[in-house]
Amino acid sequence: MAEFNEPRSKATASVSSSGNPTSFLSRASKCAKTLEEGNRSLSDDAGFAQVQPMMEDWHQPWLNGVELLEDSNRNKHFLPTGYEGIDVLLGGGLCEGQLTEIVGSSSSGKTQVCLYSAAHVADKHFGVVMFLDTCNSFSPKRIACMVDQLSSSFSGEVTSGHTKICLLIIDSISSLLTPVLGGKGSEGRLLMVSAGIILKKLANEHNVSVLVTNHMVGGEGGILKPALGESWKSIPHVRLQLTHDQGSNICNVSILKHTFMASGRTTKFVIHG
Amino acid sequence: MEENPRGWIHGDETAKAMLARVLTERPFLFLPPLHRVPLRVGNVVEIAGPSPSAKSQILLHAAVHCILPEEWKGIRFGGLERMVMYFDLDCRFDVLRLSQILKHRIMEAYKSANSTYWEDNGEYQKYDATEITQMCFCDDELFLACMRRFLYIRCYSSFEFLAALKAMHFHLQRESEALGVGLHFLMIDSIGAFYWIDRACQPMPIGGSKRKNLSLQNVAEAVVQEICKLLQTQPVLVLATKATIFGAGTSGNDAQRAFGKWCSERKMDSRTLSKEGEKLLYREYMPSAWQSFVTHRMKLYLMGNMEHFLRIHLNGCSLH
């Protein structure tokens, strides 16, 4: 008992700011209690518990591996392009939820692949295809031709198709971005990175496959390299390079980057029409 | 509290005892692709490299090593059986690749376990159909248990990243109570994903002068602060990838670009040319708050024909 009284009297002697010895003692005991508890978790804090539900809105939901797999199996299907070579190379076709880039020099067949994939996906009723044309390469006649060709080999049943967009094609995203890139400012790269983030968000949340095309520019030693620079390389999920021999209708496609295939795999396919 | 002044002067433990304690509490890890570098919990590793180098693959292999159990139904996997937290800032994670690597590791462990069994017995035995189906069933159970230990979140901006870091502690507690294991790795895919966006933010005062302005430095400082807070309460190994965003021949200055062109035309000594290119390629662009937070820096190089070459800089000295 004497020991208990001693610190109290010492406290009254030393405390000058608050004249109340009991309040000092209660504060001191509280302090000792928190020190004793040692590793208190932050979530015990009453303040954090109030803020925490609000913070759930500020970030994407937490997922684990099992939920990711379920989402991938249920929602993220493969859309075949119609070219068997490309489909086999990609393990099924264009993947929903991913951003695929096709790189090639002019007249290497990029627009042809885009148009044919659009026609094929629409024909097989996977969903709605949205084609954004930035370089005047879209031709309704060619599409009509392709659809005729495809429909003639199909049994001609008219099934009620989905109304959901499943494929978004942007023919030549590089023709939109290259005028802004370069120069001293970094606005071009800002635009490019923001566009990449928006496209990937669209792809993931709405289960859309996004296909963009890119052209080639001269690099070191005169070798052609894809346009849009180093920052763009880490934006698409899959990067394919097309090359076309003059006078033949066989195209080479090789993988520059893929999420689970080895880079460098190549294959050939025949361009129709 | 004893009032013994001598107690203050005598040390708590000797250096030998401390080393023994620390090495048992925080043992060195040898992760499969980086097995020449001993890493410990509390280290912050930055893996930098140009785009087609295998940075994300290193993260995935390390994650699989972590989520596999040490031993399961008599078969030795040699994993850590702990959770992995993956922050996907690049939004390029493919769960199919993770499951591919995991299944491959499980099958390999089964094969090596069965081959030793055959060696022990000295006889060649063929599998029954029941044994194979049993194996597949075991795979599924183990596979799902491992996948549950992989925690994932995507972030589309620096704000979301910071919010997720702040809320992570609460979520981790819930998960570790549910699964019964702790966290061991914190992975950030592409710490420089929002560099251009944050750099372009004008420092504008939000609601008075007391709040911090939004800028690249402040975001990096906030990120480092949150991760430090986590490291204090729960020691983890932080692995971050960083993409190189400056090309080998690019620079903002026209004169330098012309020089680069002239060099390639004159066909100068390839070693000096590649050195210049390398310097530009691996130019450090993260703010100093992040740079000083990193303890280990690894650089991946591409040698022609898509081969990869790993050079590791450990605070100055380099290994190959």
Side-chain angles (χ1 to χ4, degrees), chain A residues 5-272:
Chain A
N5 284 328
E6 258 182 48
R8 198 170 160 185
S9 58
K10 276 189 195 152
T12 45
S14 57
V15 163
S16 54
S17 52
S18 81
N20 195 350
T22 48
S23 73
F24 180 81
L25 189 61
S26 60
R27 258 187 286 147
S29 62
K30 228 189 244 176
C31 219
K33 197 178 162 198
T34 47
L35 282 173
E36 271 174 52
E37 276 179 36
N39 296 331
R40 268 182 82 194
S41 63
L42 294 170
S43 58
D44 288 346
D45 199 5
F48 190 83
Q50 281 180 340
V51 176
Q52 201 264 330
M54 278 198 287
M55 291 184 81
E56 296 268 325
D57 291 333
W58 295 343
H59 59 76
Q60 301 295 315
W62 301 97
L63 298 168
N64 67 15
V66 177
E67 289 161 10
L68 284 172
L69 261 184
E70 272 175 20
D71 174 63
S72 167
N73 287 334
R74 211 182 319 136
N75 300 329
K76 308 280 197 283
H77 309 115
F78 282 95
L79 299 172
T81 58
Y83 289 116
E84 207 181 306
I86 301 184
D87 290 338
V88 167
L89 189 69
L90 291 178
L94 301 170
C95 189
E96 285 177 352
Q98 288 193 352
L99 174 61
T100 309
E101 177 196 351
I102 297 187
V103 178
S105 38
S106 50
S107 81
S108 56
K110 308 189 292 288
T111 307
Q112 179 73 18
V113 169
C114 291
L115 290 173
Y116 196 77
S117 313
H120 189 258
V121 167
D123 187 63
K124 295 282 189 283
H125 303 293
F126 285 112
V128 174
V129 177
M130 178 174 273
F131 198 105
L132 290 179
D133 181 22
T134 67
C135 55
N136 226 5
S137 59
F138 186 79
S139 153
K141 280 189 210 159
R142 279 166 88 182
I143 283 275
C145 251
M146 288 176 191
V147 172
D148 282 338
Q149 265 179 358
L150 285 167
S151 301
S152 61
S153 57
F154 200 56
S155 63
E157 289 170 16
V158 179
T159 52
S160 60
H162 306 280
T163 50
K164 188 181 101 50
I165 295 182
C166 65
L167 177 61
L168 169 65
I169 302 180
I170 303 179
D171 197 354
S172 214
I173 199 168
S174 52
S175 62
L176 287 177
L177 294 172
T178 21
V180 195
L181 280 173
K184 279 180 270 182
S186 59
E187 288 89 10
R189 290 184 200 152
L190 164 64
L191 183 65
M192 183 171 70
V193 170
S194 307
I197 291 177
I198 292 175
L199 287 174
K200 282 189 281 194
K201 190 170 181 181
L202 263 179
N204 191 53
E205 293 185 357
H206 300 277
N207 303 320
V208 173
S209 175
V210 183
L211 178 65
V212 299
T213 59
N214 191 7
H215 64 281
M216 309 270 268
V217 288
E220 271 180 25
I223 310 168
L224 290 177
K225 62 170 189 179
L228 295 181
E230 191 75 26
S231 301
W232 174 258
K233 283 188 190 173
S234 48
I235 294 180
H237 287 91
V238 176
R239 302 183 80 208
L240 301 172
Q241 181 164 353
L242 286 186
T243 47
H244 188 194
D245 302 323
Q246 286 291 334
S248 82
N249 54 356
I250 298 184
C251 264
N252 257 331
V253 60
S254 66
I255 295 186
L256 289 178
K257 184 177 188 65
H258 197 283
T259 48
F260 58 84
M261 299 279 183
S263 306
R265 285 181 59 178
T266 63
T267 189
K268 294 193 199 305
F269 64 96
V270 178
I271 294 241
H272 309 295

